[in-house]
Amino acid sequence: DQQVKQNSPSLSVQEGRISILNCDYTNSMFDYFLWYKKYPAEGPTFLISISSIKDKNEDGRFTVFLNKSAKHLSLHIVPSQPGDSAVYFCAASLVSGTYKYIFGTGTRLKVLA
Amino acid sequence: GAVVSQHPSRVICKSGTSVKIECRSLDFQATTMFWYRQFPKKSLMLMATSNEGSKATYEQGVEKDKFLINHASLTLSTLTVTSAHPEDSSFYICSAREDRGQYFGPGTRLTVT
């Protein structure tokens, strides 16, 4: 049972445009959400996170939006750059304090020059 | 930022042998470390949570006798895949937690022939 889902396995975006990556979750107990970027044969790199008490968090070109009623979060990258091409994973923390992360299946973003 | 290393980065072993993977937090002490497994084009699956000085907590479906975890110090956790079989071939990633967040290692590619 996949509790965190990324329904788009891949996404192609033109350089300079906005990239929107989506993530849905099923467990309303999740209270902390994160986005990681991953290159092949490397470990994930933290990008941005959001607590369930917020609906938006922004860091430079990256913005994460959380819609708790829809159990949906999204990552916006603007403007997109070729170096952003990677696999993006969303993750959810099940219960505060345990720090266990449940990962989505990933979305491969390709930014075209 | 916090750095987590894994060794080896890549290992090939014969079926029936055991393989040890090390995970080290290089510039911080990690009371909790996590081990993940990633199948091709799949999500990162949490295998176990490792706390220093205590037994690891395994996720449902993960055989603790097959995947031995030892968290000997605040900077080192090891995962030993015992009696490896070809189906154990995978990308294994550890992460280490400190107050500021959870940091991932670069991963270890295990191939069992």
Side-chain angles (χ1 to χ4, degrees), chain B residues 51-77:
Chain B
N51 291 298
E52 187 265 338
S54 62
K55 290 184 178 180
T57 303
Y58 289 81
E59 295 299 305
Q60 191 173 14
V62 179
E63 299 176 61
K64 61 180 180 181
D65 295 329
K66 172 98 179 142
F67 299 98
L68 299 179
I69 292 172
N70 184 280
H71 196 152
S73 75
L74 288 172
T75 59
L76 173 64
S77 176

Side-chain angles (χ1 to χ4, degrees), chain A residues 38 43 99-101 103-104, chain B residues 34 38 43 59 97 102 105-106:
Chain A
K38 185 180 182 299
Y99 310 116
K100 286 170 50 171
Y101 293 168
F103 280 85
Chain B
F34 303 88
Q38 184 183 25
S43 179
E59 295 299 305
R97 170 156 188 88
Q102 192 174 138

Side-chain angles (χ1 to χ4, degrees), chain A:
Chain A
D1 178 30
Q2 190 73 31
Q3 296 187 67
V4 180
K5 300 178 184 179
Q6 293 174 255
N7 293 319
S8 298
S10 64
L11 174 69
S12 290
V13 172
Q14 206 66 37
E15 181 180 7
R17 305 294 290 267
I18 184 171
S19 296
I20 300 176
L21 296 100
N22 294 302
C23 180
D24 297 294
Y25 60 95
T26 58
N27 193 333
S28 58
M29 295 297 291
F30 288 141
D31 59 0
Y32 193 64
F33 304 88
L34 311 95
W35 282 94
Y36 281 85
K37 177 180 179 179
K38 185 180 182 299
Y39 294 111
E42 292 184 11
T45 303
F46 171 76
L47 272 178
I48 193 168
S49 63
I50 188 168
S51 164
S52 61
I53 62 173
K54 291 187 173 182
D55 54 19
K56 177 183 176 181
N57 188 26
E58 190 172 353
D59 184 2
R61 295 186 298 115
F62 302 93
T63 303
V64 56
F65 295 91
L66 175 62
N67 182 334
K68 288 187 291 295
S69 60
K71 296 192 181 68
H72 176 84
L73 66 153
S74 61
L75 173 69
H76 292 210
I77 306 173
V78 56
S80 301
Q81 300 173 353
D84 296 329
S85 298
V87 178
Y88 289 78
F89 289 94
C90 67
S93 178
L94 189 59
V95 176
S96 293
T98 65
Y99 310 116
K100 286 170 50 171
Y101 293 168
I102 309 298
F103 280 85
T105 49
T107 296
R108 181 176 301 279
L109 172 66
K110 188 171 183 180
V111 179
L112 307 170

Side-chain angles (χ1 to χ4, degrees), chain B:
Chain B
V3 178
V4 176
S5 71
Q6 279 184 243
H7 177 79
S9 58
R10 187 181 293 267
V11 58
I12 301 172
C13 70
K14 293 194 174 189
S15 188
T17 62
S18 294
V19 174
K20 180 185 284 189
I21 303 170
E22 291 185 350
C23 176
R24 293 181 186 273
S25 57
L26 297 185
D27 51 0
F28 65 99
Q29 293 185 327
T31 53
T32 304
M33 288 186 172
F34 303 88
W35 286 96
Y36 293 84
R37 180 175 178 177
Q38 184 183 25
F39 295 95
K41 297 183 180 179
K42 297 285 187 183
S43 179
L44 283 77
M45 184 193 78
L46 179 64
M47 298 174 66
T49 303
S50 168
N51 291 298
E52 187 265 338
S54 62
K55 290 184 178 180
T57 303
Y58 289 81
E59 295 299 305
Q60 191 173 14
V62 179
E63 299 176 61
K64 61 180 180 181
D65 295 329
K66 172 98 179 142
F67 299 98
L68 299 179
I69 292 172
N70 184 280
H71 196 152
S73 75
L74 288 172
T75 59
L76 173 64
S77 176
T78 60
L79 168 68
T80 301
V81 182
T82 62
S83 187
H85 290 286
E87 57 265 30
D88 298 325
S89 299
S90 194
F91 193 58
Y92 293 87
I93 305 174
C94 73
S95 71
R97 170 156 188 88
E98 61 146 16
D99 289 343
R100 290 174 295 170
Q102 192 174 138
Y103 302 93
F104 286 81
T108 296
R109 169 72 62 192
L110 170 63
T111 304
V112 185
T113 60

